[in-house]
Amino acid sequence: MSDNVFIMDHPLIQHKVSLIRDVNTGVKEFRELVEEIAMLMGYEVTRNLPLKEVEIETPIAIAKTKVISGKKLAIVPILRAGLGMVDGMLKLIPAAKVGHIGLYRDPETLQPVEYYCKLPTDVEERDLIILDPMLATGGSASAAIEFIKQRGAANIKFMCLIAARAGVERLSKDHPDVEIYCAAVDEKLNDHAYIVPGLGDAGDRLFGTK
Ligand code: PRP
Ligand code: URA
């Protein structure tokens, strides 16, 4: 695995990923778990945010202490399943702006089709975290990042719950500058390019559409 890939092995993340893989986990619980995992992963993804020292007056004295500095953040869910990760991330970074990119994977060609893109107007000045629970062939993530780069963004991280090895390889090749954060890397894809064992169709499980 290349060194731009980070697998989040925290026990709480691993436990919750096991629950979302379970076919018996219903829509409500699935949605809650995806939000919780996104928050736990967000904690790790933001670990290296730069800090600066400030002075704060406490009720007792002046404290030299630290606050986050550097560029502002934006999160960009890939519609639709990425929406399930937004609230978890916003609990950690409530001031982040939220862009949206709409892509679906054509079931015949497996190629991503863009149908929506609305990013913050100052996107080129922000650090971006792209959200999508699934990285399967990598086509959707790679295309989303390409569209976003074309709009001027430079510092981009990609955060997913379950990745397939093929998707990680594709994304690392297409965008070697993008760090990939995931909770699990599964070995293979089936004939319909679903991740095996994966968790099924993330959008359908989040929104109850199947
Ligand atoms: C899923 C998933 C990713 C994509 C991954 O979305 O949320 O965006 O597939 O597959 P890939 O790595 O092979 O491109 P889907 O196309 O099912 O759309 P949806 O979120 O609207 O259900
Ligand atoms: N999209 C999903 O939702 N699940 C997969 O396993 C692959 C693509």
Side-chain angles (χ1 to χ4, degrees):
M1 199 66 55
S2 57
D3 56 8
N4 65 328
V5 183
F6 302 91
I7 302 172
M8 312 277 93
D9 59 0
H10 191 289
L12 286 173
I13 296 176
Q14 292 301 313
H15 182 83
K16 289 173 193 290
V17 167
S18 300
L19 297 176
I20 57 171
R21 284 187 189 275
D22 189 335
V23 68
N24 295 310
T25 297
V27 173
K28 175 177 179 288
E29 200 186 348
F30 188 91
R31 209 178 275 153
E32 289 166 355
L33 285 162
V34 168
E35 182 181 328
E36 288 166 14
I37 298 167
M39 187 169 72
L40 292 167
M41 289 183 70
Y43 180 77
E44 291 294 337
V45 172
T46 51
R47 176 173 287 283
N48 293 321
L49 288 182
L51 292 168
K52 67 176 179 198
E53 201 167 75
V54 293
E55 287 191 350
I56 302 268
E57 188 182 348
T58 79
I60 310 294
I62 300 292
K64 280 195 194 319
T65 182
K66 289 179 178 145
V67 294
I68 291 170
S69 67
K71 284 197 186 173
K72 296 200 172 118
L73 290 171
I75 57 175
V76 182
I78 299 180
L79 307 180
R80 29 180 201 154
L83 288 175
M85 300 167 76
V86 170
D87 287 351
M89 288 295 282
L90 286 179
K91 287 210 167 98
L92 290 182
I93 36 173
K97 288 195 176 172
V98 184
H100 294 85
I101 181 151
L103 289 177
Y104 70 89
R105 200 172 68 161
D106 184 290
E108 301 297 324
T109 65
L110 300 179
Q111 293 307 307
V113 182
E114 185 196 5
Y115 60 88
Y116 188 75
C117 185
K118 183 88 180 170
L119 299 175
T121 48
D122 58 356
V123 70
E124 67 286 347
E125 292 161 24
R126 290 181 176 262
D127 290 342
L128 296 197
I129 305 173
I130 317 287
L131 307 175
D132 193 328
M134 310 304 280
L135 179 66
T137 64
S140 303
S142 183
I145 291 168
E146 190 56 45
F147 292 136
I148 289 167
K149 282 183 174 172
Q150 281 166 12
R151 288 164 173 88
N155 192 352
I156 300 173
K157 297 182 199 299
F158 179 80
M159 187 172 134
C160 64
L161 306 188
I162 300 187
R165 192 166 286 276
V168 171
E169 283 166 7
R170 161 94 188 262
L171 196 54
S172 303
K173 181 166 156 288
D174 291 355
H175 300 285
D177 54 306
V178 173
E179 291 179 345
I180 303 170
Y181 293 82
C182 58
V185 179
D186 287 5
E187 277 312 311
K188 58 179 183 179
L189 300 171
N190 69 13
D191 293 344
H192 304 285
Y194 276 88
I195 300 174
V196 181
L199 52 71
D201 189 302
D204 284 342
R205 295 198 63 189
L206 271 170
F207 299 110
T209 39
K210 215 172 224 172

